[in-house]
Amino acid sequence: MRRTLFISDLHLSATQPDITAAFFEFLDTQVTDEVDALYILGDFFEVWVGDDANEPLSDEVAARLKTISEHGIKVYFIHGNRDFLLGQKYAQRAGMTLLPEQTVINLYGTPTLLLHGDEMCTQDVEYQKFRKKSRGWWWPKLMLSMPLWYRRHVARNARIKSKMSQQNKRAEILDVEPSSVSETFTQHNVALMIHGHTHRPAIHSHGENTRIVLGDWYTQASYLVATEHCISLHYANEIKEFCLANQS
């Protein structure tokens, strides 16, 4: 049976080799000849300061993904809030296709919106200000023109500041905002949405619409499997299923 796979929020880092090992095991066991495509919905890496920051981890990940793409399995990537500077150079090395931050695909007959999801966390005003700046035309260009050591310094400080900021925010502020979710469904005229970012894996019902949230990989592999008739969300040693027959 043909399948499509979705993952998000692995936060790959040299300091957490267990997550890298889990990802490679996922590739070995789940990305088989029956898979049509693998979609990576952001925060694939813990931090990304530019395609010129060649490191053993990113090199090995690129090589593994390139092998998959050379076997005819499409690999797609949507930027997250940690790796929005990932560019075409690295994507080509990894055999990935970069997609717009909000992309509608035909998922076995069901129009489906894919995104990282951070743009729907509109109650976090402080973060949204940074997001608007960092996704603009000038800020990425300016940052990538800086020396690599400086970019790493900026990223390290930004991560420390982000952790401190999140400690003082209520849980609902860090989650998606209901009206933003509704507006996003309406904007793209779809009934199915898949995203990550919040690290709160679940299948949510929004009236006639369905929103599926992918899990992070801090404690175990979490992924979504879609076939012609069913979607199954794997996380915390559980599997939750959603029937596509209800979608038009």
Side-chain angles (χ1 to χ4, degrees):
M1 181 180 295
R2 307 306 304 177
R3 300 182 297 151
T4 296
L5 304 175
F6 302 84
I7 56 175
S8 180
D9 299 279
L10 279 71
H11 297 269
L12 293 174
S13 167
T15 62
Q16 292 190 280
D18 55 323
I19 297 180
T20 303
F23 173 58
F24 289 160
E25 181 180 1
F26 165 79
L27 296 182
D28 291 338
T29 59
Q30 298 299 323
V31 185
T32 65
D33 292 340
E34 295 180 339
V35 171
D36 292 317
L38 168 65
Y39 287 88
I40 304 171
L41 304 187
D43 283 7
F44 187 39
F45 291 95
E46 174 69 7
V47 65
W48 194 267
V49 296
D51 291 2
D52 57 335
N54 296 323
E55 298 177 353
L57 173 61
S58 58
D59 290 344
E60 188 174 9
V61 170
R64 293 294 299 268
L65 292 177
K66 185 69 170 180
T67 298
I68 290 171
S69 67
E70 289 175 344
H71 279 80
I73 298 173
K74 300 292 186 181
V75 181
Y76 298 100
F77 182 89
I78 289 179
H79 294 97
N81 54 292
R82 302 287 186 85
D83 46 23
F84 59 87
L85 288 178
L86 192 149
Q88 285 289 352
K89 183 177 179 181
Y90 184 78
Q92 290 175 1
R93 285 178 55 202
M96 299 190 302
T97 299
L98 300 182
L99 298 177
E101 62 182 23
Q102 294 187 355
T103 296
V104 176
I105 66 169
N106 184 336
L107 186 60
Y108 303 114
T110 300
T112 303
L113 174 64
L114 307 179
L115 64 167
H116 181 59
D118 56 325
E119 62 266 58
M120 296 188 296
C121 299
T122 53
Q123 294 184 84
D124 191 347
V125 177
E126 179 185 16
Y127 168 71
Q128 290 301 326
K129 289 181 179 179
F130 171 75
R131 188 183 192 282
K132 182 177 180 180
K133 176 181 70 173
S134 63
R135 301 307 196 277
W137 69 268
W138 66 269
W139 194 90
K141 187 175 182 179
L142 175 63
M143 284 301 300
L144 292 174
S145 70
M146 298 295 181
L148 184 56
W149 68 265
Y150 179 78
R151 281 178 268 151
R152 286 175 171 151
H153 173 74
V154 170
R156 182 166 55 252
N157 287 347
R159 186 63 193 129
I160 294 173
K161 181 179 178 181
S162 176
K163 286 183 177 181
M164 293 178 62
S165 176
Q166 289 181 13
Q167 291 176 357
N168 299 320
K169 293 176 180 176
R170 301 189 310 275
E172 59 267 26
I173 291 180
L174 300 175
D175 202 354
V176 297
E177 202 279 319
S179 64
S180 181
V181 172
S182 178
E183 291 170 2
T184 303
F185 270 119
T186 301
Q187 176 186 352
H188 294 279
N189 191 29
V190 297
L192 181 61
M193 179 191 303
I194 301 173
H195 71 84
H197 180 65
T198 65
H199 299 185
R200 300 176 183 183
I203 299 177
H204 299 276
S205 177
H206 299 268
E208 296 181 351
N209 301 330
T210 300
R211 178 171 61 92
I212 301 178
V213 185
L214 299 170
D216 62 76
W217 284 50
Y218 284 128
T219 57
Q220 57 116 52
S222 177
Y223 57 95
L224 190 70
V225 181
T227 66
E228 183 179 359
H229 303 292
C230 181
I231 288 179
S232 56
L233 178 62
H234 299 243
Y235 70 96
N237 297 319
E238 297 182 22
I239 301 177
K240 290 192 175 183
E241 294 189 339
F242 170 72
C243 181
L244 287 173
N246 295 327
Q247 303 298 314
S248 59

